[in-house]
Amino acid sequence: MNEQLITHLPRWLEASRAHAHEGKVAAYIPELAKAPGNALGISIMGKTGETVAAGDTSLMFTMQSISKIFTLMLALVDNGEDGVFAKVGMEPTGDDFNSMLKLELVEPGKPFNPLINAGAIAVTSLIHGSSPAEKSGRVLRYFQDIAGGAPLAINEEVYRSESATAHRNRSLAYFLKDNEVLGEEIDVEDVLSVYFQHCSIEINVEQLSRMALVLAFNGTDPITGREHIPRRYVQIAKTFMLMCGMYNASGEFAIRAGIPAKSGVSGGILAMVPGIYGIGVVGPALGAKGNSTAGVHLLETLSGQLEWSMM
Amino acid sequence: MNEQLITHLPRWLEASRAHAHEGKVAAYIPELAKAPGNALGISIMGKTGETVAAGDTSLMFTMQSISKIFTLMLALVDNGEDGVFAKVGMEPTGDDFNSMLKLELVEPGKPFNPLINAGAIAVTSLIHGSSPAEKSGRVLRYFQDIAGGAPLAINEEVYRSESATAHRNRSLAYFLKDNEVLGEEIDVEDVLSVYFQHCSIEINVEQLSRMALVLAFNGTDPITGREHIPRRYVQIAKTFMLMCGMYNASGEFAIRAGIPAKSGVSGGILAMVPGIYGIGVVGPALGAKGNSTAGVHLLETLSGQLEWSMM
Amino acid sequence: MNEQLITHLPRWLEASRAHAHEGKVAAYIPELAKAPGNALGISIMGKTGETVAAGDTSLMFTMQSISKIFTLMLALVDNGEDGVFAKVGMEPTGDDFNSMLKLELVEPGKPFNPLINAGAIAVTSLIHGSSPAEKSGRVLRYFQDIAGGAPLAINEEVYRSESATAHRNRSLAYFLKDNEVLGEEIDVEDVLSVYFQHCSIEINVEQLSRMALVLAFNGTDPITGREHIPRRYVQIAKTFMLMCGMYNASGEFAIRAGIPAKSGVSGGILAMVPGIYGIGVVGPALGAKGNSTAGVHLLETLSGQLEWSMM
Amino acid sequence: MNEQLITHLPRWLEASRAHAHEGKVAAYIPELAKAPGNALGISIMGKTGETVAAGDTSLMFTMQSISKIFTLMLALVDNGEDGVFAKVGMEPTGDDFNSMLKLELVEPGKPFNPLINAGAIAVTSLIHGSSPAEKSGRVLRYFQDIAGGAPLAINEEVYRSESATAHRNRSLAYFLKDNEVLGEEIDVEDVLSVYFQHCSIEINVEQLSRMALVLAFNGTDPITGREHIPRRYVQIAKTFMLMCGMYNASGEFAIRAGIPAKSGVSGGILAMVPGIYGIGVVGPALGAKGNSTAGVHLLETLSGQLEWSMM
């Protein structure tokens, strides 16, 4: 583990925490609104499992959009590349994550990539299982395995609130049904229930850094030596993270930090330094483009100080 | 009744029927697909109830979007102008009738007018009644009264097919829910069931010409002398018909025919010569913009020959 | 001349003037910015030339978008309906008057109607003449004849300012060139110079009411008996005015006032009661949608009090 | 130099050449239309200057959009990061390279990134120089230096044709002027003349591979040891190439090949394996998204066979 990192992380974290006040905690459901706006926590894990952590590391948060990375890889395992990319594209889009513009304007109306909401819903519909419960169960176990084996759980209150209020996601899903991205045999509410459940899986930064570590080592957990995900699918996931993992600030983050990352509306960020570190961050206060203001500042600081950029 | 009209209508109708082959019968549900593509029928009713008719006058068809005119007036009766226009705008839109673009792009995201699908769904949500069944019942009786009192019925097969396949309308409705055009207390499926039911009311051209006659005489049936609709609300309805009653060919129809009209995907058209005639037309073959090709040709011929344009 | 109108007009005008403060004078060029924000003037002319006027009737203002109505009719005279509508559509659009969205999104990319800027530029390109100067000269004489024969002049300062700052119109014109709405033989700057000149023709409300009177009587000046414009072309112009004469508040104005009208960014409005009155209004303070707030209020008041609505 | 590459390149190139027939040579100007549709050439240069080449290596072609990478870096040298990114964004956009949608829809209306046309025009406007000729001269010398010093020239016929027909680029430029991305002091035609000139610089694949080599080695020519471009600016350029270098197929190329690349409408592609190779490709037949079909196939083959992906 890098000495400079061990020495300076607490100070860098506190400097970044000052940027929390530039953001606001997501408030569209009460369960997210009660997260502490000033919190910031990070865990950085190396290949033998050694970890440097700082700040609010015990804060539990839901994975939200971070889960889209792992459901994409599970859908690839279940359906292969051709099966997945028949339903979702490979291109970044400069539109909002919940936009319907390109679904209406671009023929054929399939979602541009698996990380916008429409694309992630399409991906979730591809996960194998004979019932929503079986699918959710598979997802949860898959996430758990990658996170090192300790049990993960769905936050039921978040799940119920998301499900009850997610009219825009319902609108997207029915649009996909109309465009035949969701086929005739697919029940929209079933897909959404699996989708809201994987968004509601609760985690902390250390578990998140373990999941990131597996990606940093191309799908094989360097601590156990166990291959969780085929290398090719990790490569695909990392490419999407670099291009569109940070909503409409993905380009800016790629230029400033230059590492694959995926953020969620709970303020979590999964990031990695390929071949070296898996990283989990949480900072609930979000900027205008939906990313943790303090979390982004911290990752950009680290990348700058330690020359992490892949580019 | 105009002599020229009586003499020439059969010939004009046959000349217009030749334009049916330029269109295609709507095929998104099987019940619409079986309509006869070559059919064309018209009924023109004057203020004493005298009628000139020609062609396929016995063909029954569902009202589809024509119903939006009458649900708008019922919603105005129930809520007043301010109540209705709090939820829906007054402006034409050059987008498709089922477009979501302006809902996403223009703030606040309320539907531009009551004749596009999003606007019509919002209007339907405003109809009073303690249950969907009561609302549908009120709509059906309202339509029946205006049509002269003889019973009208919902085509149940069309209703069920529409309801089962209308993913785009569901998508629109959930978008409206997200935009708070449909309020918290409103159940999307309830609104849609009323909406699909009023679209599925079955009618023939004579009944349609009677409904049009009431509008042509500002809401009062000139045959019975009974006032069905306040004059102001008819004025509003006629203005929308002139500006946006014929989908994205409304401007062209206003310039060519110059009379208020509303078309539906079943090939029906309700039109009127204000103060003179109510008109019902049906011709199931639709052009690229969703209007009956033969029906539009016939109305443009009549307006040209008999100088019907209001402009 | 209506007694009620003569009696009450001064009072109604002052009541409407109170709405001027809800708007703001256009400020994109200095020449427009210096117009008096609190001004409001109106002239209403009947078929023998008798006139009722009130308020700031001596204020001179440039015609701006009002001129588009008359260049449309001149282009129709020069090219016929088919010639004009090969280059411009007949449909209202819910987009901004200077929007490029539909030019890019809808195939073929021709302007939706002659009253949005793109459409008006296309129309101007169709006016006959061997040079921009000859075209502008024809336009000026055409306007002058319709306005009763007294000389009109181009405000050269406004013209030069418009021409120097109208980057968005240049952008639109080059887009039209790219879409081949402006053909190969057409020089963009030549078209724009004619366009900016007809927008810069200076007028007062009395002259404007005379121009409106000619339209109200289907193209024939009822005072002189001289036919200036074929009836059919006036019909087309009135239809566009009703559907899209008041920018994105056209539908609202049609529902509230129900008479054909066209507004300009200088605060002028030309309106008419078909077969009865020609009306000129000026009130430089504009609302959010680009129409004179006081002027719109006054016309809606008059239409309501005197039952002017055509609908 | 990799043995496998030396041995198999001719065979791989011929296999990829078979995909040329899937594309079409750009025909919007006659000078591009006469390029040989079946041509395919590649040059791959290593750090000591050793080169493997195959196919149509002597074909001269204009740089077109490839030039945008180098003008971006020159603008960064002239203005710094803050200066450049005040005028252009950092985000990929799923729209067409010449789209105006986001300029109109997203506030503030600055171009999303430096590789779409609007962004590249904004970047060109930032290049220092007291006249268009001086700016073009600086650009040409900068390109020449990076390409190894041998003289490069502007293809004057291409330049004149581009300039005469590029109405869409003129439209974009005036839109930028309206949005104040191009400031008051900037003459649109001056900017466009520099832009069309750098797009018209003629090159062959060997020269292109030398330019790519400098980027592959972070701005320092490994053959001469001379630093041409600050490392940070190369990092920025490579990030944009990975995210949006291949028009609306950038994501697909990143997932399939995983190396920074930039294509042009002449069929050229500049690519690199960071730290190892600079690559120049030409194949004039373009696919639906504007990239050389054979060229893309060849780069994907090479990346797959030789494991070049950065991800």
Side-chain angles (χ1 to χ4, degrees), chain A residues 99-100 104 170-171 175 177, chain B residues 99-100 104 171 174-175:
Chain A
S99 177
M100 313 188 78
E104 182 168 335
R170 260 185 194 88
S171 181
F175 204 112
K177 185 93 177 165
Chain B
S99 177
M100 313 187 79
E104 182 168 336
S171 181
Y174 279 108
F175 205 112

Side-chain angles (χ1 to χ4, degrees), chain D residues 276-297:
Chain D
I276 307 183
Y277 299 127
I279 304 171
V281 177
V282 65
L286 308 178
K289 294 191 169 173
N291 302 306
S292 167
T293 50
V296 165
H297 188 272

Side-chain angles (χ1 to χ4, degrees), chain D residues 22 26 41 54 76 79 84 102 116 135 148 183 218 237 260 274 279 292 301:
Chain D
E22 294 160 11
L76 283 163
N79 302 273
V84 168
K102 287 198 169 56
I116 54 172
K135 290 172 193 185
N218 293 315
I279 304 171
S292 167
T301 302

Side-chain angles (χ1 to χ4, degrees), chain C residues 98-101 104-105 165 167-168 170-172 174-175 177-178 189, chain D residues 98-101 104-105 165 167-168 170-172 174-175 177-178 189:
Chain C
N98 62 6
S99 176
M100 313 188 79
L101 296 181
E104 182 168 334
L105 293 174
T165 60
H167 311 305
R168 184 66 169 265
R170 262 187 191 87
S171 181
L172 282 167
Y174 280 108
F175 204 112
K177 184 92 179 166
D178 188 57
E189 286 298 332
Chain D
N98 62 5
S99 178
M100 313 188 76
L101 297 181
E104 181 168 336
L105 293 174
T165 61
H167 310 306
R168 184 67 169 265
R170 262 187 191 86
S171 181
L172 282 166
Y174 278 109
F175 204 113
K177 184 92 177 165
D178 188 58
E189 287 297 333

Side-chain angles (χ1 to χ4, degrees), chain B residues 124-295:
Chain B
T124 296
S125 80
L126 296 170
I127 289 171
H128 288 183
S130 61
S131 68
E134 188 180 318
K135 291 172 192 182
S136 291
R138 287 190 65 223
V139 169
L140 190 63
R141 282 191 302 278
Y142 192 65
F143 282 39
Q144 230 164 239
D145 284 355
I146 296 171
L152 294 178
I154 288 162
N155 181 322
E156 291 292 333
E157 279 177 49
V158 170
Y159 164 65
R160 275 192 302 268
S161 274
E162 300 265 13
S163 179
T165 60
H167 310 306
R168 184 68 170 265
N169 281 323
R170 264 189 189 84
S171 181
L172 282 166
Y174 279 108
F175 205 112
L176 295 177
K177 184 92 177 164
D178 189 57
N179 281 358
E180 296 174 32
V181 172
L182 300 185
E184 274 210 26
E185 73 292 356
I186 292 175
D187 181 89
V188 164
E189 287 298 331
D190 282 357
V191 173
L192 290 174
S193 78
V194 180
Y195 177 78
F196 296 134
Q197 288 193 28
H198 68 68
C199 286
S200 303
I201 293 174
E202 212 165 38
I203 203 162
N204 61 32
V205 288
E206 196 194 330
Q207 291 165 316
L208 198 60
S209 66
R210 180 74 175 265
M211 295 184 89
L213 187 70
V214 174
L215 301 185
F217 285 85
N218 294 315
T220 298
D221 187 329
I223 304 171
T224 63
R226 187 175 153 207
E227 186 191 301
H228 289 286
I229 314 157
R231 179 181 172 169
R232 172 65 184 145
Y233 299 158
V234 175
Q235 195 174 51
I236 291 171
K238 285 193 294 187
T239 309
F240 282 122
M241 292 170 81
L242 197 71
M243 288 192 304
C244 41
M246 303 295 278
Y247 303 113
N248 275 355
S250 298
E252 189 176 338
F253 189 80
I255 282 174
R256 298 230 167 111
I259 56 175
K262 180 75 202 84
S263 64
V265 76
S266 55
I269 306 174
L270 172 148
M272 77 207 62
V273 186
I276 308 183
Y277 298 127
I279 305 170
V281 177
V282 65
L286 308 178
K289 294 192 168 173
N291 302 306
S292 168
T293 50

Side-chain angles (χ1 to χ4, degrees), chain D residues 8-26:
Chain D
H8 297 298
L9 186 62
R11 189 169 55 79
W12 287 334
L13 180 129
E14 292 310 321
S16 292
R17 194 198 291 275
H19 292 267
H21 75 91
E22 294 160 11
K24 278 205 298 213
V25 173

Side-chain angles (χ1 to χ4, degrees), chain D residues 120-268:
Chain D
I121 292 169
V123 164
T124 296
S125 80
L126 296 171
I127 289 171
H128 287 182
S130 59
S131 68
E134 187 180 320
K135 290 172 193 185
S136 290
R138 287 190 67 222
V139 169
L140 190 63
R141 282 190 302 278
Y142 191 64
F143 283 38
Q144 231 164 241
D145 283 355
I146 296 171
L152 294 178
I154 288 161
N155 181 321
E156 291 291 334
E157 279 178 47
V158 170
Y159 164 66
R160 275 192 302 267
S161 274
E162 299 266 14
S163 179
T165 61
H167 310 306
R168 184 67 169 265
N169 281 324
R170 262 187 191 86
S171 181
L172 282 166
Y174 278 109
F175 204 113
L176 294 177
K177 184 92 177 165
D178 188 58
N179 281 358
E180 296 174 32
V181 173
L182 300 186
E184 273 208 29
E185 73 292 357
I186 292 176
D187 181 87
V188 164
E189 287 297 333
D190 281 357
V191 173
L192 289 174
S193 78
V194 180
Y195 177 78
F196 296 135
Q197 289 194 26
H198 68 67
C199 287
S200 303
I201 293 175
E202 212 164 38
I203 203 162
N204 61 32
V205 289
E206 197 195 329
Q207 291 166 316
L208 199 59
S209 66
R210 179 75 176 265
M211 295 185 88
L213 187 70
V214 173
L215 302 184
F217 285 85
N218 293 315
T220 298
D221 187 329
I223 302 170
T224 63
R226 182 172 156 210
E227 187 192 298
H228 290 284
I229 315 158
R231 180 182 171 167
R232 172 63 184 147
Y233 299 158
V234 176
Q235 196 174 48
I236 290 171
K238 284 193 295 186
T239 309
F240 283 121
M241 291 170 82
L242 197 71
M243 289 192 304
C244 40
M246 302 295 279
Y247 304 114
N248 275 353
S250 298
E252 189 177 338
F253 189 80
I255 283 174
R256 298 230 168 112
I259 55 174
K262 180 74 203 87
S263 64
V265 76
S266 55

Side-chain angles (χ1 to χ4, degrees), chain A residues 43-166:
Chain A
S43 169
I44 303 172
M45 194 178 288
K47 73 173 165 187
T48 62
E50 76 281 18
T51 300
V52 196
D56 302 290
T57 53
S58 62
L59 187 63
M60 297 300 293
F61 53 96
T62 48
M63 290 185 74
Q64 300 294 343
S65 293
I66 300 172
S67 64
K68 295 170 181 174
I69 291 295
F70 297 95
T71 50
L72 169 63
M73 291 184 292
L74 182 53
L76 284 164
V77 168
D78 283 356
N79 303 273
E81 285 186 55
D82 290 352
V84 169
F85 294 117
K87 294 295 183 187
V88 66
M90 299 179 177
E91 300 304 324
T93 157
D95 303 324
D96 286 346
F97 67 95
N98 63 5
S99 177
M100 313 188 78
L101 297 181
K102 287 197 168 55
L103 295 179
E104 182 168 335
L105 292 175
V106 181
E107 288 294 333
K110 77 180 186 188
F112 258 45
N113 69 60
L115 299 191
I116 54 172
N117 284 14
I121 292 169
V123 163
T124 297
S125 80
L126 295 171
I127 290 171
H128 288 183
S130 60
S131 68
E134 187 181 319
K135 290 172 193 184
S136 292
R138 287 189 67 222
V139 169
L140 191 62
R141 282 190 303 279
Y142 191 67
F143 283 39
Q144 232 165 239
D145 283 355
I146 297 170
L152 295 177
I154 288 162
N155 181 321
E156 291 292 335
E157 280 178 48
V158 170
Y159 164 66
R160 275 191 302 268
S161 273
E162 300 264 14
S163 179
T165 59

